[in-house]
Amino acid sequence: SLRDNYLDYKNLPQGEYNVKMTIMNAKKKKAHLPSMMNDAVADTRVVVDSHGDYYLHITMKKIKHTAILGGKKFTKEGYLDKLSYYDKDGVLINLKPISFQIDAETGTEHPKEFSIPINRPTQEIQKIRIQIFAQVMEDLKKGMGTQDAIPTINWSDFSVR
């Protein structure tokens, strides 16, 4: 809208904003590829509170992943079970989910929504480093369930929600 064109993403008023966000792989060799977590994102937005603090709000859904391990093909369905973020000093901080979802098949509870504190953006492309854990991935291969990922926000086309 016309109003959106006059807003500066570096200094937004309190509110909710639609943003384009892709969760990228944190491994150097795969930095150009989306993380598997990207497929689990149902909705994303940035919330600015009354103090001017920015939060990346992510709503998660169930994902299906196919992997080939030891020459065998596996397809698993599952959820993101834990999300942590790195603060400005590089300290890993566990986030409490805002809400939960129930798996219809198993009746188990999994996180649905997270709100990650982020810095006020200084450029159009903003990257945040997080760590995720998915039990379904850990079940496929020990150590595979915990991975870093890079949510990458593109502020070039944001709008008021």
Side-chain angles (χ1 to χ4, degrees):
S1 79
L2 189 61
R3 181 172 167 256
D4 297 341
N5 293 336
Y6 292 97
L7 290 173
D8 176 8
Y9 65 87
K10 297 175 184 177
N11 194 24
L12 290 171
Q14 181 176 357
E16 295 188 10
Y17 301 90
N18 296 310
V19 291
K20 287 197 173 88
M21 191 269 309
T22 305
I23 300 178
M24 301 302 288
N25 198 302
K27 292 184 176 120
K28 285 206 180 354
K29 292 185 297 197
K30 297 182 178 183
H32 63 290
L33 298 171
S35 164
M36 285 184 288
M37 179 189 170
N38 197 59
D39 293 337
V41 175
D43 183 57
T44 190
R45 65 185 181 270
V46 168
V47 176
V48 179
D49 71 12
S50 60
H51 304 290
D53 294 327
Y54 284 53
Y55 296 87
L56 176 61
H57 189 97
I58 300 175
T59 304
M60 308 301 297
K61 63 184 180 186
K62 188 176 194 176
I63 59 167
K64 183 186 279 192
H65 179 69
T66 301
I68 298 172
L69 294 171
K72 293 181 184 166
K73 187 175 178 180
F74 296 90
T75 300
K76 292 273 193 177
E77 290 185 338
Y79 296 85
L80 180 82
D81 294 298
K82 185 177 169 188
L83 192 151
S84 305
Y85 70 97
Y86 292 91
D87 73 5
K88 64 182 179 0
D89 299 318
V91 175
L92 196 59
I93 298 175
N94 189 30
L95 273 176
K96 287 186 170 60
I98 295 170
S99 69
F100 292 88
Q101 54 194 327
I102 304 294
D103 185 306
E105 293 170 35
T106 64
T108 55
E109 186 178 73
H110 300 277
K112 182 176 182 182
E113 295 175 283
F114 288 99
S115 188
I116 307 166
I118 61 174
N119 293 328
R120 189 179 287 253
T122 57
Q123 52 196 27
E124 214 168 72
I125 303 297
Q126 182 178 14
K127 297 181 178 191
I128 302 112
R129 191 171 193 94
I130 62 172
Q131 186 179 86
I132 57 174
F133 175 77
Q135 186 64 53
V136 67
M137 298 306 295
E138 189 68 18
D139 291 346
L140 279 176
K141 185 178 179 189
K142 188 158 177 54
M144 199 160 93
T146 301
Q147 296 189 17
D148 280 7
I150 312 285
T152 304
I153 300 169
N154 184 335
W155 284 99
S156 65
D157 192 27
F158 79 95
S159 62
V160 175
R161 192 170 183 112

